[in-house]
Amino acid sequence: MLFWRLETQVPGGSHADSSTLTVGEGASEIYGVYDPNYDSDSAIFEDDSPYPEVRSAVANFDDPTMPASTLRAWILGILWAMIIPGMNQFFYFRYPSVAIGGLVAQLLVFPLGRAWVRICPNISFWGIPLNPGPFTIKEHVLVTIMASVGAQSAYATDIVVVQKVYYHQHWNFSYQWMLVMSTQLIGFSIGGIARRFLVNPASMIWPNTLVSCALFNTLHSQSYAGIGQHEGITRERYFAYAFCAAVMWYFIPGYLFQALSVFSWVCWIAPQNVKINQMFGYHTGLGFSLLTFDWNQIAFTGSPLSTPWWAEANVMIGFVFFYWFLTPILYYKNVWHSQYMPISSLNAYDNTGALYNVTKIIDKNATLNLEAYKAYSPLYLSATFVMSYGLSFLSITSTMTHAIIHFWKPMKLHFSRSVREQPDIHAQLMSRYPQVPEWYYGCIFVITFTFACICIQLWPSGMTIWALVIALIICTFWMYPFRMIQAITNRQVGLNVITELIVGFMIPGKPNAMMMYATYGYITMAQAMQFTADFKLGHYMKVPPRPMFWCQVIATVVAGTVQLGVQSWYVSLPQDLCDKDQKDSFTCASTHVFGTASIIWGVIGPALQFTKGQIYYSLSFLFLVGAACPIILWLITKRYPNTILNYLKLIFSGVGQIPPATAINYVPWAIIGFLFQFVIRRKHFSYWAKYNYVLSAALDAGTAVGLILVFFCLQYPLDGNLGKRTIQSWWGNTVYKTTLDWEGATLRQVADGETFG
C-alpha cells in the first residue's frame, strides 16, 4: 500500500506530530478540500498516479533497458538545437514573427528518427553504435527537449539589438555570448535546487507536459490514445496533408495577396477617414475589422488550437473591455494627451507628436542628462501602450492576492506533501536511475554568475554586482510560489515589469543597467520554469535524469550561440533593419517594445513619470486596485456562488502581449479558438481528440516553412526587386498601405513650433 505522510488535526484542537494515512483511508477527504485535481473516488494507487489527468496521458511502466542517450539522439538533438532556434531568431525581428515550439519539434523529429533507422548503416564508432535499433520513445523525448529548450529567442539578444539601434553601442561578441549564456543558464542552476519539491511529488502535475506525453505515447504506440474512437486517416497522414496545405497557402497572404493578411477591409472603403481607420485598422488601430486569413497573424500570441476555450474567453473579455471599450473612451477624451499620437503604437513620442529622440537626453555612455531632458520633452505613450502598462500593474498585485486567497491552503498542503509524501509509481520507477548531484547545479551557477560579473565589470553598462545579487534574490524569493502555481494550474506569472520598476528607482538614468537587471530578474525565473517543466516531462517519460540535465545545458549553449550568430549576421547587413517601413517586415516589433521600456524605466526612470505630479502618476494606484479586485470578486462569489464572475481569471494578464501584438493577433485567434475548442470539441470530440493538436502543429510548421520559401525564393533575391512592377505593385498588395491606419494618423496635430502637454 502506498502511504502519504500528512499532518492531521486531532480532537481538541491539538496536532499530532505526524500520522500515516493511506490514500484510501482518509487522504481523499483532505484532498477533496484542498486538491480538486485529486481523484477522491479511487482507493488504491500503488500501481498508478492518484491524478486522473496523469493516468490518462502517462504510462505507468518503464523499460530500464530502453536506450535514451544514444549517439543518434545527440546528433539529431544538436542538429535541431541549431535549426529551430536559428529559424526562430531569424524571424524574431519580423512582424508577425514565426515561433516554432516544442509541439512542432516533437512531430518533426519523429519521422527523422524512423528514417535514420532505415537509412543509416549499422556501424559503430569507438564502440558506440550509429544505428542502435528502433527509434525509442526516450530518444524522441531527449531530442525534442534539446530542440525546444532554447528554441525561443534568448531574451538577452534584445539587449544587444536595442544597444545598437537605440544607443548606437557596438560591443563585441564575447560580451554578447557571456550575457546570453549567463541569462539563459543561471535559471537552470537555481531551478535545479528545487526540483525535489516540484518534479518528484505526484501532486506537482505540470499540466502543460501532459499534452506532450499523450502525443509521445500515441506516436510510438501507433494507436489512438484518447476518449472515444474516430475512423479516418492516420495522424501522420493528416499532418502531412495539413502541412503541405499550410505551406502552399502561405504563398497567397504572404506574397500574392498580402491584403488577406492585413485584412482591414473597412479602412479600404474609407481610407482617409481618421476615426474609421483608428477603430477598424490593424496597424495603428483597434482592429474592429475582425478577420485575417494568415495563420502567422492568428497564432502570433500562441496557437488557438492548444489553448482551452475558457482561457480564450477570459482573454477576450479582458481585450474587449480594456481595448475596445476603455481605450477609445480615454483616447477621445484626450487623457494623457493621447490624441496627439496614434491610438495604438509601440513607440514613444515627444511633445510635438514626433518619435522620441532618446539621443537628445543621453550622454556618450547612454546615461540620462537631466538638463537636456527638461529642455527637450517628457515622454508620451499611445493609449494602448499606457493601457498595457496599467494592465501589468493590475496583474502583478492581483495575481499575488489571487494566489493568497485561492492557493494559500493548497500551496501549504503541496509544500507539506512535497517534503513528506511517499513517491508515486512514476517516482518509484525513476528512483532506479542515478540522480543529478547538487554540485552540478552549483558549478553551473558559479560559471554563469562569473560570466554575469564579467559583463558588468568589463563593459560600461552602469549595472552593478550588488544589483545583480538583488535581482537574483527577488527571483529566488518569488520562484517557488509562482512555479507551484504554474505546476498546479498551468498559469505562469512574470516578473518583467516589476523588475523594471525596481531597477528604475535603484539605478535611474542607465538604460543598459535596466535591461540587464530586468533580464536577470525575469528570465532567470522563466528559465527555471522551463527547466522544471522539461524535467517533469522526462520524469513522466522515464528518461534518466543525468542525460536530461546534460541535454538541456548543452542544447541551451548551442541554441544561444546559433541565435547570436544569426543575429550578428542579420544586423550587419546594409539594410533598414528595425525601421517601421522595412520592406520585408523586419520591423523588430518586440525589440522596439523593449527599447521603449529601456527609455521609460532606464533612461528617464519611473520617478520622472509615475510619481506625484508626473503625467502617469494615476497608473501607480492600479497596484492597489489590482490587489483589491480578487478580494472583491471573492466576496461576491462567496455571497453568490453561482454567479458567472466565478469564471473571471485572466482578464488582466491575458492580453499581456500587447504591444507588440495588436487586435489582429487576438480577435481572429479567439474566433478560431471558439470554433475548435468549443464547437468542434463539444460536437465532434473524437475528431478533435485525434486531430486537433496535429493540425495545430501542421499549421505552425507549414506556415514557418512557407514563410522561409517566400522570403528566400521571392523576396530576398534581387534585393527585393523581384516582381516590383508586377506582383508587388498590384492592388491586393498595396491597398492596406494606402490608409491612414498604416500611416499612423492622429486625431490632433501640433502646429509648427508648438508643443502639447
Side-chain angles (χ1 to χ4, degrees):
M1 179 66 73
L2 182 62
F3 293 90
W4 304 95
R5 299 286 294 178
L6 296 170
E7 291 202 351
T8 57
Q9 188 169 359
V10 297
S14 61
H15 288 77
D17 291 337
S18 112
S19 63
T20 304
L21 296 178
T22 66
V23 173
E25 293 174 350
S28 60
E29 180 180 353
I30 297 176
Y31 287 118
V33 174
Y34 292 114
D35 192 349
N37 292 324
Y38 185 81
D39 190 354
S40 58
D41 294 330
S42 299
I44 300 175
F45 297 113
E46 62 265 29
D47 293 329
D48 214 331
S49 170
Y51 294 89
E53 297 90 348
V54 178
R55 295 200 300 271
S56 68
V58 182
N60 63 339
F61 55 86
D62 178 35
D63 179 6
T65 64
M66 181 183 293
S69 182
T70 63
L71 180 62
R72 174 173 58 200
W74 280 97
I75 292 175
L76 289 175
I78 292 176
L79 178 66
W80 283 104
M82 298 170 65
I83 294 174
I84 292 181
M87 289 173 57
N88 282 341
Q89 185 65 30
F90 180 79
F91 291 112
Y92 177 72
F93 298 119
R94 190 181 186 276
Y95 180 81
S97 62
V98 174
I100 303 174
L103 191 62
V104 177
Q106 185 177 359
L107 285 166
L108 293 178
V109 163
F110 182 62
L112 288 179
R114 297 179 68 181
W116 185 294
V117 175
R118 295 184 178 183
I119 296 173
C120 287
N122 188 13
I123 59 176
S124 298
F125 294 97
W126 300 285
I128 303 174
L130 182 64
N131 193 346
F135 185 59
T136 69
I137 191 171
K138 294 186 180 182
E139 288 180 289
H140 192 180
V141 173
L142 210 66
V143 175
T144 300
I145 290 175
M146 293 181 74
S148 59
V149 67
Q152 305 309 313
S153 177
Y155 201 77
T157 58
D158 262 340
I159 299 178
V160 177
V161 180
V162 169
Q163 286 179 317
K164 172 182 172 61
V165 175
Y166 280 75
Y167 306 111
H168 310 294
Q169 295 175 327
H170 306 273
W171 295 350
N172 62 34
F173 190 83
S174 299
Y175 157 80
Q176 299 174 20
W177 189 84
M178 286 189 289
L179 180 66
V180 169
M181 291 302 113
S182 60
T183 54
Q184 292 293 94
L185 289 173
I186 203 166
F188 284 5
S189 60
I190 296 176
I193 303 300
R195 74 194 186 281
R196 67 180 63 183
F197 305 117
L198 296 167
V199 174
N200 295 333
S203 50
M204 299 292 102
I205 297 175
W206 289 93
N208 60 322
T209 64
L210 298 179
V211 173
S212 296
C213 291
L215 185 54
F216 277 125
N217 288 321
T218 298
L219 291 173
H220 286 267
S221 67
Q222 297 299 310
S223 63
Y224 166 58
I227 301 174
Q229 296 288 336
H230 180 82
E231 298 297 331
I233 62 176
T234 64
R235 289 183 171 190
E236 291 87 346
R237 182 170 293 183
Y238 188 94
F239 174 82
Y241 291 160
F243 174 83
C244 294
V247 172
M248 292 185 290
W249 170 253
Y250 184 77
F251 279 79
I252 298 176
Y255 185 72
L256 299 175
F257 195 170
Q258 297 174 31
L260 293 178
S261 178
V262 189
F263 198 67
S264 53
W265 59 277
V266 179
C267 299
W268 309 347
I269 299 173
Q272 299 303 311
N273 188 302
V274 175
K275 291 186 178 180
I276 286 180
N277 278 261
Q278 288 180 333
M279 298 303 292
F280 291 91
Y282 277 147
H283 191 60
T284 58
L286 295 179
F288 279 83
S289 294
L290 299 179
L291 298 176
T292 179
F293 298 91
D294 185 354
W295 181 256
N296 204 13
Q297 298 277 19
I298 295 171
F300 179 76
T301 60
S303 173
L305 305 186
S306 61
T307 305
W309 167 243
W310 70 266
E312 293 174 336
N314 267 266
V315 170
M316 286 312 297
I317 290 172
F319 177 85
V320 170
F321 178 78
F322 290 106
Y323 286 100
W324 275 7
F325 174 73
L326 191 56
T327 295
I329 293 175
L330 295 173
Y331 184 82
Y332 292 114
K333 289 289 186 179
N334 200 30
V335 179
W336 304 304
H337 309 288
S338 55
Q339 291 183 0
Y340 292 98
M341 295 162 279
I343 194 170
S344 179
S345 174
L346 50 79
N347 295 305
Y349 296 86
D350 62 21
N351 55 15
T352 67
L355 294 179
Y356 201 88
N357 188 351
V358 69
T359 59
K360 290 186 176 182
I361 63 171
I362 57 175
D363 58 24
K364 61 181 180 180
N365 294 320
T367 301
L368 175 67
N369 183 328
L370 187 58
E371 295 302 320
Y373 167 75
K374 292 179 179 179
Y376 175 42
S377 169
L379 181 142
Y380 296 93
L381 300 172
S382 68
T384 56
F385 211 141
V386 175
M387 185 62 65
S388 72
Y389 274 125
L391 287 171
S392 296
F393 295 167
L394 287 168
S395 65
I396 289 169
T397 51
S398 65
T399 300
M400 294 178 184
T401 308
H402 180 86
I404 292 172
I405 293 174
H406 296 283
F407 298 126
W408 180 247
K409 289 183 179 179
M411 283 171 61
K412 287 198 300 183
L413 179 63
H414 278 293
F415 183 79
S416 175
R417 285 158 53 189
S418 295
V419 175
R420 296 188 178 95
E421 71 181 37
Q422 295 300 312
D424 68 348
I425 183 63
H426 304 294
Q428 292 176 28
L429 293 172
M430 288 299 292
S431 66
R432 303 172 180 175
Y433 301 106
Q435 298 301 307
V436 180
E438 301 288 346
W439 64 267
Y440 279 26
Y441 301 105
C443 290
I444 294 292
F445 178 81
V446 170
I447 294 171
T448 53
F449 185 79
T450 301
F451 283 172
C453 293
I454 292 173
C455 291
I456 290 170
Q457 292 296 105
L458 296 188
W459 284 271
S461 64
M463 181 70 171
T464 61
I465 294 178
W466 62 265
L468 170 65
V469 173
I470 292 176
L472 296 179
I473 290 174
I474 292 174
C475 170
T476 305
F477 176 77
W478 286 111
M479 183 169 56
Y480 186 81
F482 282 7
R483 286 169 69 191
M484 180 170 280
I485 290 172
Q486 183 178 2
I488 300 168
T489 69
N490 209 27
R491 293 182 62 199
Q492 183 171 341
V493 183
L495 292 174
N496 49 334
V497 173
I498 194 65
T499 53
E500 290 170 350
L501 179 66
I502 292 172
V503 72
F505 283 109
M506 286 174 45
I507 313 176
K510 298 185 181 297
N512 289 327
M514 188 288 295
M515 292 187 291
M516 294 177 71
Y517 182 96
T519 301
Y520 283 113
Y522 162 65
I523 207 63
T524 297
M525 188 174 72
Q527 287 296 99
M529 289 182 175
Q530 172 78 41
F531 175 88
T532 308
D534 284 343
F535 240 83
K536 189 68 177 185
L537 176 60
H539 180 87
Y540 281 146
M541 302 308 299
K542 316 303 180 296
V543 179
R546 292 190 180 184
M548 278 286 302
F549 170 83
W550 286 116
C551 86
Q552 287 180 283
V553 172
I554 293 175
T556 301
V557 173
V558 171
T561 305
V562 170
Q563 288 174 340
L564 277 177
V566 171
Q567 178 174 280
S568 298
W569 163 73
Y570 202 80
V571 299
S572 66
L573 296 179
Q575 56 184 334
D576 50 351
L577 180 67
C578 297
D579 188 85
K580 65 183 181 68
D581 297 318
Q582 210 277 339
K583 58 184 178 63
D584 298 318
S585 298
F586 286 88
T587 57
C588 308
S590 297
T591 302
H592 279 303
V593 173
F594 198 42
T596 302
S598 74
I599 301 173
I600 296 170
W601 306 104
V603 178
I604 300 173
L608 294 175
Q609 296 176 97
F610 297 96
T611 56
K612 190 172 183 179
Q614 306 301 326
I615 184 171
Y616 298 119
Y617 172 60
S618 58
L619 293 182
S620 61
F621 291 99
L622 294 181
F623 286 108
L624 297 177
V625 175
C629 282
I631 299 174
I632 297 172
L633 189 63
W634 178 72
L635 292 174
I636 294 174
T637 54
K638 291 284 286 185
R639 178 66 178 85
Y640 305 101
N642 295 323
T643 177
I644 196 174
L645 296 178
N646 282 304
Y647 297 95
L648 297 182
K649 304 292 183 184
L650 301 171
I651 60 172
F652 293 156
S653 58
V655 288
Q657 290 181 269
I658 299 176
T662 63
I664 194 175
N665 309 123
Y666 277 94
V667 181
W669 171 85
I671 294 172
I672 298 297
F674 174 77
L675 177 63
F676 278 88
Q677 299 292 73
F678 184 81
V679 177
I680 295 178
R681 190 179 190 275
R682 288 196 171 194
K683 295 187 176 182
H684 307 282
F685 181 78
S686 60
Y687 174 90
W688 178 91
K690 186 173 184 179
Y691 297 128
N692 181 71
Y693 293 108
V694 176
L695 177 61
S696 177
L699 292 174
D700 288 344
T703 302
V705 172
L707 199 156
I708 292 171
L709 292 175
V710 167
F711 179 78
F712 284 106
C713 297
L714 300 173
Q715 294 177 334
Y716 188 75
L718 303 179
D719 196 27
N721 292 319
L722 185 64
K724 186 175 182 178
R725 297 184 179 181
T726 53
I727 192 67
Q728 291 189 35
S729 59
W730 85 285
W731 177 87
N733 283 338
T734 59
V735 61
Y736 64 95
K737 296 181 180 180
T738 60
T739 63
L740 293 180
D741 165 56
W742 193 262
E743 296 174 6
T746 63
L747 197 61
R748 296 187 183 185
Q749 291 79 37
V750 180
D752 292 340
E754 296 184 2
T755 61
F756 63 84

